[in-house]
Amino acid sequence: MNIDNYKDIIRVMMGDRRYTHSVNVSAEAVRLAKKYGADPEKAALAGILHDITKEVDFEKQLQIIDSGDIILTDVEKKTNKLWHAISGSVYIQKKLGITDPDIINAVRYHTTGRAGMSKLEKVVFLADFTSAERDYPDVDVIRKKAEISLEEGMLYGIEFTLKRLLERQGYLSLDAIEAYNEILLNR
Ligand SMILES: [Fe+2]
Ligand SMILES: [Fe+2]
């Protein structure tokens, strides 16, 4: 299958806005992959697939996660916004036959990050923040950081997310905190 086949698959699984977002994330991931030395073809595919299950209802997402023999932590059970990354990583293996662990992990950790991310994982994480249609406050700041290094871009993205969660006493992802600490340790 080529990238257009995968675009056709996601097209019927989501609304127009999310489809546009997915296409834009894919394009931005390719750009960042070329800039930072990740595989552009894998970046294109991971970008297209990253939100594949975001519009699948939560009950069904839990079934998908369960079918992948993944046990959610208590915190993960409470943060249903993060389920699509986990269910998406299982879905692309089981339904689409994707076997490349780097693509699977890029989908799995695109929302939280984690310690020990590959270049491809970082590229997809960052592309999700900086894709063309994004217009939240500070998007220009993170776009500038993304030109300095993948890690500086990610650090700002994780800070942005953690700050928002702290403001409303949201649950913090341990994976996100570990990604944050690792970037600071290696700075
Ligand atoms: Fe997502
Ligand atoms: Fe996304």
Side-chain angles (χ1 to χ4, degrees), residues 18 21-22 25 47 50-51 54 84 110-111 124 127-129 131 133-134:
R18 195 166 323 275
H21 165 68
S22 300
V25 169
H50 82 287
D51 275 341
K54 189 136 187 190
H84 75 283
H110 81 265
T111 318
V124 174
D128 196 23
F129 269 98
S131 60
E133 86 294 347
R134 293 289 201 196

Coordinates of all heavy atoms in Angstrom, one line a residue, residues 18 21-22 25 47 50-51 54 84 110-111 124 127-129 131 133-134, ligand 2:
R18 N -10.3 16.9 11.0 CA -9.3 16.0 11.5 C -8.5 15.4 10.3 O -7.3 15.2 10.4 CB -9.8 14.9 12.4 CG -8.7 14.2 13.2 CD -9.1 13.4 14.3 NE -10.3 13.9 15.0 CZ -10.2 14.8 16.0 NH1 -9.0 15.3 16.4 NH2 -11.2 15.2 16.6
H21 N -6.1 18.0 9.3 CA -5.1 18.0 10.4 C -4.1 16.9 10.1 O -2.9 17.1 10.1 CB -5.7 17.9 11.7 CG -4.7 17.6 12.8 ND1 -3.7 18.4 13.3 CD2 -4.6 16.4 13.6 CE1 -3.0 17.8 14.2 NE2 -3.5 16.6 14.4
S22 N -4.6 15.7 9.8 CA -3.7 14.5 9.6 C -2.8 14.7 8.4 O -1.6 14.4 8.4 CB -4.6 13.3 9.4 OG -5.4 13.1 10.6
V25 N -0.2 17.3 9.4 CA 0.8 16.7 10.3 C 1.8 15.8 9.5 O 3.0 15.9 9.7 CB 0.1 15.9 11.4 CG1 1.2 15.1 12.2 CG2 -0.6 16.8 12.4
G47 N 2.5 10.3 10.3 CA 1.7 11.5 10.4 C 0.2 11.3 9.9 O -0.7 11.7 10.6
H50 N -1.5 9.0 12.7 CA -1.4 9.3 14.1 C -2.7 9.4 14.9 O -2.8 9.0 16.0 CB -0.5 10.5 14.4 CG -1.1 11.8 14.3 ND1 -1.5 12.4 13.1 CD2 -1.5 12.7 15.3 CE1 -2.0 13.6 13.3 NE2 -2.0 13.8 14.6
D51 N -3.7 10.0 14.2 CA -5.0 10.2 14.9 C -6.1 9.3 14.4 O -7.3 9.5 14.5 CB -5.5 11.7 14.7 CG -4.9 12.6 15.8 OD1 -4.4 12.1 16.8 OD2 -4.9 13.8 15.5
K54 N -9.1 8.6 16.6 CA -9.5 9.6 17.5 C -11.0 9.8 17.5 O -11.6 10.3 18.4 CB -8.8 11.0 17.1 CG -9.1 12.1 18.1 CD -7.9 12.8 18.5 CE -8.2 13.8 19.7 NZ -7.1 14.7 19.9
H84 N -6.7 7.5 22.2 CA -6.6 7.3 20.8 C -5.1 7.0 20.3 O -4.9 6.3 19.3 CB -7.1 8.5 20.0 CG -6.2 9.7 20.1 ND1 -6.1 10.6 21.1 CD2 -5.4 10.2 19.1 CE1 -5.2 11.5 20.9 NE2 -4.8 11.3 19.6
H110 N 2.5 9.9 20.4 CA 2.5 11.2 19.8 C 1.9 12.2 20.7 O 2.1 13.4 20.5 CB 1.7 11.1 18.4 CG 0.2 11.2 18.5 ND1 -0.5 10.0 18.5 CD2 -0.6 12.2 18.6 CE1 -1.8 10.4 18.5 NE2 -1.9 11.7 18.6
T111 N 1.1 11.8 21.7 CA 0.4 12.8 22.6 C 1.3 13.1 23.8 O 1.3 14.3 24.3 CB -1.0 12.4 23.0 OG1 -1.6 11.8 21.9 CG2 -1.8 13.5 23.5
V124 N 7.1 13.3 14.8 CA 5.6 13.2 14.8 C 5.0 13.9 15.9 O 4.0 14.7 15.8 CB 5.2 11.7 14.7 CG1 3.6 11.6 14.8 CG2 5.6 11.0 13.5
A127 N 5.4 17.6 15.0 CA 4.5 18.0 13.8 C 3.1 18.1 14.3 O 2.3 18.9 13.7 CB 4.7 16.9 12.8
D128 N 2.6 17.4 15.3 CA 1.3 17.4 15.8 C 1.0 18.8 16.4 O -0.1 19.3 16.4 CB 1.0 16.3 16.8 CG -0.4 16.1 17.1 OD1 -1.3 16.4 16.2 OD2 -0.7 15.5 18.1
F129 N 2.1 19.4 17.0 CA 2.0 20.8 17.5 C 2.0 21.9 16.5 O 1.5 23.0 16.7 CB 3.1 21.0 18.6 CG 2.8 20.6 20.0 CD1 3.2 19.4 20.5 CD2 2.1 21.5 20.8 CE1 2.9 19.0 21.8 CE2 1.8 21.1 22.1 CZ 2.2 19.9 22.6
S131 N 1.6 21.7 12.9 CA 1.0 21.5 11.6 C 0.3 22.8 11.2 O 0.0 23.7 12.0 CB 0.1 20.4 11.6 OG -1.0 20.6 12.5
E133 N -2.4 24.0 10.2 CA -3.7 24.6 10.6 C -3.8 25.0 12.1 O -4.7 25.6 12.5 CB -4.9 23.6 10.3 CG -5.2 22.6 11.4 CD -4.0 21.6 11.6 OE1 -3.1 21.5 10.7 OE2 -4.1 20.9 12.6
R134 N -2.7 24.7 12.8 CA -2.7 25.0 14.2 C -2.6 26.5 14.4 O -1.8 27.2 13.8 CB -1.4 24.4 14.9 CG -1.5 22.9 14.9 CD -2.5 22.3 15.9 NE -2.2 21.0 16.3 CZ -3.1 20.2 16.9 NH1 -4.3 20.6 17.2 NH2 -2.8 19.0 17.3
Ligands
FE2 FE -3.1 15.1 16.0

